[in-house]
Amino acid sequence: MPKDWLEWHDLYNSEPKLQQRLEIVREYISYSLDNSPTGAIRVVSACAGDGRDLLGTLANHPRTKDVYARLVEINPELVERGRATIESLGLTKQIEFINGDATATDNYVGAVPADIVIVCGIFGNLADENELNRLLGNLSFLSKKRAFVLWTRGNSNGIAYSETVRKYFRDFGFEEVNFKLTATGDMGVGIHRYLGENLPTPKEEKLFVFSGVPNKAR
């Protein structure tokens, strides 16, 4: 089992469910870019890891030059990986990788409201549904009206946790664009659109509390 988040991300090299999840997330990022208005596209990614979902998509997308993104990740080694990829893609003037706490609203000031919000790998690492509701409520700070929000949630022990997430998104004023399970059947990936108005100031200083650990990540 992975002892830290760096090792956990290395599982993308061997775990089919993670590889399949990543493929769907990239598909949804590409869709979001294709369907964003003409001009600059703002993207934010919370708990971004090494940014392989967004950066892998931007490596070969016709709207890459329109993207201005901020990725936030607390693990410094993952951030360095991501920054190296950004440099290799020639996108250092468009994409910034913040080594910081993704739960802190201060790390998004100046980059929001965004056209695309990526909150993948987070929902399965929240303590309970109250914490999920807290994060969904705070998405109104990160998101423009009509912004795309991408998320993931693992299912386990016969419980379809992703279905609960879909329900709560509806309750918080989001319209579902698409949802898919991985071929392994235990990872859900969704894309929603925010129908409400952007809140220029956050409801609270912490967007959520991340309580997951690498060897139990879902």
Side-chain angles (χ1 to χ4, degrees):
M1 300 295 289
K3 72 178 188 313
D4 58 32
W5 290 109
L6 187 67
E7 283 193 0
W8 188 91
H9 279 78
D10 286 339
L11 293 176
Y12 277 104
N13 299 322
S14 58
E15 287 284 343
K17 63 182 179 182
L18 290 179
Q19 294 167 347
Q20 293 163 17
R21 185 179 83 167
L22 177 61
E23 181 179 357
I24 300 171
V25 172
R26 285 178 174 172
E27 174 191 333
Y28 288 171
I29 293 173
S30 182
Y31 174 90
S32 301
L33 294 172
D34 290 339
N35 289 277
S36 290
T38 302
I41 304 172
R42 281 192 175 189
V43 183
V44 294
S45 180
C47 295
D50 57 11
R52 68 179 65 201
D53 46 11
L54 177 63
L55 300 178
T57 307
L58 295 180
N60 185 28
H61 194 280
R63 296 205 63 185
T64 294
K65 293 302 181 183
D66 293 332
V67 173
Y68 292 86
R70 181 177 296 174
L71 291 74
V72 185
E73 167 59 45
I74 202 167
N75 183 290
E77 293 169 295
L78 288 170
V79 171
E80 285 308 309
R81 280 189 189 178
R83 287 173 176 167
T85 302
I86 291 168
E87 186 171 356
S88 71
L89 294 173
L91 297 175
T92 55
K93 294 183 179 180
Q94 296 174 234
I95 303 177
E96 56 180 336
F97 217 133
I98 302 295
N99 184 196
D101 183 357
T103 74
T105 55
D106 286 351
N107 283 323
Y108 302 94
V109 173
V112 295
D115 300 283
I116 302 172
V117 178
I118 303 171
V119 285
C120 294
I122 296 178
F123 294 164
N125 293 292
L126 304 177
D128 51 36
E129 291 183 13
N130 290 330
E131 202 59 40
L132 171 63
N133 286 339
R134 176 182 178 182
L135 174 51
L136 292 179
N138 284 320
L139 287 176
S140 58
F141 165 66
L142 299 179
S143 309
K144 287 182 182 178
K145 187 172 185 176
R146 304 293 295 170
F148 292 102
V149 178
L150 286 68
W151 58 273
T152 60
R153 181 62 167 102
N155 299 329
S156 61
N157 301 319
I159 301 174
Y161 293 107
S162 57
E163 292 302 314
T164 300
V165 173
R166 296 171 78 185
K167 172 186 178 299
Y168 280 123
F169 261 107
R170 290 192 294 270
D171 294 344
F172 276 87
F174 290 81
E175 174 185 62
E176 185 170 281
V177 178
N178 205 349
F179 173 81
K180 290 183 181 180
L181 285 174
T182 57
T184 58
D186 54 358
M187 287 276 186
V189 186
I191 175 172
H192 279 70
R193 259 194 137 156
Y194 179 52
L195 302 183
E197 298 294 334
N198 169 255
L199 292 183
T201 56
K203 294 181 178 179
E204 47 197 311
E205 292 184 5
K206 288 187 78 70
L207 297 174
F208 58 96
V209 174
F210 189 96
S211 56
V213 292
N215 61 4
K216 294 183 180 178
R218 295 170 286 174

